[in-house]
Amino acid sequence: MNESSLKPLRVLGIFAHPDDETVCAGGTFAKYASTGAEIRVISLTKGEGGQIRDASVATRATLGGVREKELDAAGKELGLTETRCLNHPDGGLADIDSANLVRLALELLTEIQPDVVVTFGADGFSGHPDHIAIGAAVTAACYEMPIARSIRLFHCHLPRGRMLLRDRLAEWVVDLTARFKGTKDFVRALSVFSRETAGLGYAADLVKLEWFPSGSYIIEQGDIATTMYFLLSGTVEVRREGGDGLVRVVDRSGPGEFIGDEGIATGRPRNAHVVAVDDVTSLTFSASEPVPVAGRGEQSQPLLTRSLPSGDQIDARVTTCIDVSDFVGHKIRATAAHRSQYPIEPAMFPESLLQEMFGVEYFIQVLPELPLQSSLFDG
C-alpha cells in the first residue's frame, strides 16, 4: 500500500511491443500483483511487424489485432490490472521525434500517476531500436515529472547466462524412465524456445539448424561428446563397432528424438556411430564462444560487469534482484499466451530448467538517484 494515500501501489510498465512485458519483467509483475499492487502495462505498438511463428493464429494483415488480444490474455495470467496497446508503428519508434515520444510518456505518467515505472535501459534489453527509443523517452519523462523525486524508475536488465540448454536437456532425457519422442508441437516449440533463449542470453548455447545427407556420419564412436542433436526430419541408425571390428545396428531414431544426449549427460566419449539413413535435418546444441566484454555489435556487453556465483554476467550497475521463483509458472503461461510469437505449451519443459533460467529478474534503479557516499568506509 502507498502509506501516504492508503491506496494500492501503482506500477506502470511502458514497453514497445506486446510480449516485452512478459520477457522483461513478467515474474516481477505477477509477484507484486499477487500482493495487491495495481500493475498496468502499455505497449506503444501492436507488434504488427513481428514474426508469425504459428501460421494458424495470424496473418500479416491480422497480426496487430491478434497480438493486442494476446497481450490481454498474458495480462490475465500475470494478474495485471490493465493492458493497453497504442497504435504507433512497429519498427518505427526510433523514427518518431524524440520530443514527441517524451511528451507521450509524460501524458501516460500524468494520467496513471504510478509509484513505480519499469521500462528499457539504454541497451534496449535486446538491442532493438524500438526498445531503446521508448526507454529513453520514458526515462526523460520521469525526470521531467514535477514529482520526479517520488517516482521509482527501473530499467529491465537481461543477464548473460552461462547455463547450457544442451546439458540440462541431456540430463532430463537421460533421467526419463521412458524413451523421449517429442510431438510435432514440441518440435516447433523447442526450435523457437531454444533459439530465443540462447539469442537473448538466458543460455550460453550455440543453436544451429544443420542438414546431413544420406549416408553421412552425424556422430562417430569414440569422439568426445560436445554436441547434442534434436532430429527434425529424417531417420538415423545407431551403429556400434565391436572389438572384433564388426559394426552392428543397435537402434534407430527419427523426428522428435534427441541423439548424443548420453555422452553429454555422462561426460564420456561417444559409445556408437550415428549415421543418416536418409537426409536428416537437426537442431544442434553446443557451447558458444564467450562474448567479449565491451565488444561491438548486437551482443555487446556493458563495459563493467560483475559475475554471479552461477557464472552469469550482469551489468555492474544492477541494483535489484527479484526472486520470482514462485511465479515462473505465471511467466511461462503468459509467454504461451503470446502464441503468435511463442507457440509453446507451459508444461512442455522441465520445471527445474525453467526455474534455473527464469527464477530471478534484474533491474537497475534510476530514480530516486542513489546518494553519493562521503566516506570510503561507511555505507
Side-chain angles (χ1 to χ4, degrees):
M1 300 290 288
N2 186 322
E3 295 181 2
S4 62
S5 63
L6 296 180
K7 294 181 179 179
L9 285 169
R10 294 179 178 177
V11 179
L12 173 61
I14 304 181
F15 300 102
H17 314 102
D19 81 11
D20 291 340
E21 80 298 330
T22 299
V23 174
C24 296
T28 298
F29 287 158
K31 180 172 185 171
Y32 286 105
S34 74
T35 69
E38 295 180 355
I39 316 287
R40 291 175 169 82
V41 163
I42 297 176
S43 171
L44 269 287
T45 80
K46 295 184 178 181
E48 71 280 0
Q51 297 184 54
I52 304 175
R53 293 195 170 108
D54 187 342
S56 68
V57 302
T59 66
R60 182 52 58 191
T62 65
L63 182 60
V66 167
R67 293 193 70 183
E68 185 173 16
K69 292 177 181 177
E70 289 176 345
L71 175 59
D72 180 66
K76 289 180 170 60
E77 295 293 349
L78 298 176
L80 305 186
T81 304
E82 178 192 2
T83 62
R84 194 188 309 176
C85 281
L86 305 186
N87 204 26
H88 296 282
D90 185 0
L93 295 183
D95 298 325
I96 298 175
D97 181 76
S98 59
N100 290 337
L101 276 182
V102 173
R103 190 178 304 113
L104 171 60
L106 274 169
E107 291 173 357
L108 295 172
L109 294 170
T110 302
E111 172 197 346
I112 295 173
Q113 294 290 310
D115 301 290
V116 175
V117 177
V118 179
T119 191
F120 302 108
D123 62 357
F125 197 76
S126 64
H128 196 299
D130 280 357
H131 297 182
I132 294 170
I134 193 57
V138 172
T139 299
C142 285
Y143 274 98
E144 289 188 23
M145 286 287 287
I147 56 170
R149 291 177 181 270
S150 66
I151 288 180
R152 299 180 66 82
L153 170 64
F154 292 88
H155 288 165
C156 304
H157 175 66
L158 177 65
R160 183 146 295 275
R162 298 311 306 161
M163 182 266 284
L164 288 169
L165 273 173
R166 177 198 69 182
D167 295 348
R168 298 299 180 267
L169 290 170
E171 293 163 3
W172 173 52
V173 173
V174 168
D175 285 345
L176 292 175
T177 55
R179 181 168 178 165
F180 180 84
K181 186 175 178 63
T183 62
K184 289 183 178 179
D185 285 342
F186 182 87
V187 170
R188 179 172 56 181
L190 181 62
S191 178
V192 171
F193 180 82
S194 60
R195 286 189 277 187
E196 281 289 302
T197 53
L200 286 171
Y202 285 109
D205 299 78
L206 178 63
V207 182
K208 297 189 297 183
L209 186 65
E210 293 196 80
W211 175 77
F212 301 92
S214 174
S216 62
Y217 279 91
I218 299 174
I219 289 173
E220 292 192 48
Q221 186 171 331
D223 283 353
I224 301 298
T226 60
T227 303
M228 188 170 72
Y229 304 83
F230 182 69
L231 300 179
L232 302 177
S233 66
T235 304
V236 300
E237 284 186 347
V238 180
R239 303 173 182 177
R240 185 159 293 128
E241 190 170 339
D244 55 7
L246 296 178
V247 177
R248 298 171 176 85
V249 176
V250 296
D251 204 355
R252 291 170 69 93
S253 295
E257 295 185 76
F258 290 96
I259 58 174
D261 46 281
E262 185 174 341
I264 294 295
T266 63
R268 294 196 289 265
R270 306 294 195 186
N271 61 15
H273 304 294
V274 177
V275 178
V277 175
D278 38 38
D279 292 351
V280 167
T281 55
S282 169
L283 276 180
T284 63
F285 297 82
S286 56
S288 63
E289 293 295 323
V291 177
V293 174
R296 295 184 179 274
E298 292 185 2
Q299 299 300 320
S300 295
Q301 292 296 288
L303 180 62
L304 298 175
T305 62
R306 60 182 291 190
S307 294
L308 302 176
S310 63
D312 294 354
Q313 295 287 316
I314 61 171
D315 190 317
R317 297 169 297 173
V318 165
T319 59
T320 309
C321 172
I322 306 293
D323 180 354
V324 297
S325 54
D326 290 340
F327 298 90
V328 169
H330 296 71
K331 184 181 180 96
I332 298 303
R333 290 193 297 275
T335 301
H338 290 287
R339 178 78 188 181
S340 65
Q341 307 303 297
Y342 302 99
I344 66 172
E345 297 297 333
M348 279 182 167
F349 304 106
E351 176 69 19
S352 58
L353 170 64
L354 299 176
Q355 284 289 338
E356 184 175 359
M357 191 173 289
F358 304 121
V360 293
E361 292 177 342
Y362 297 95
F363 302 88
I364 298 172
Q365 180 180 323
V366 181
L367 288 173
E369 294 178 335
L370 299 176
L372 292 174
Q373 298 295 324
S374 57
S375 167
L376 297 180
F377 298 98
D378 297 334

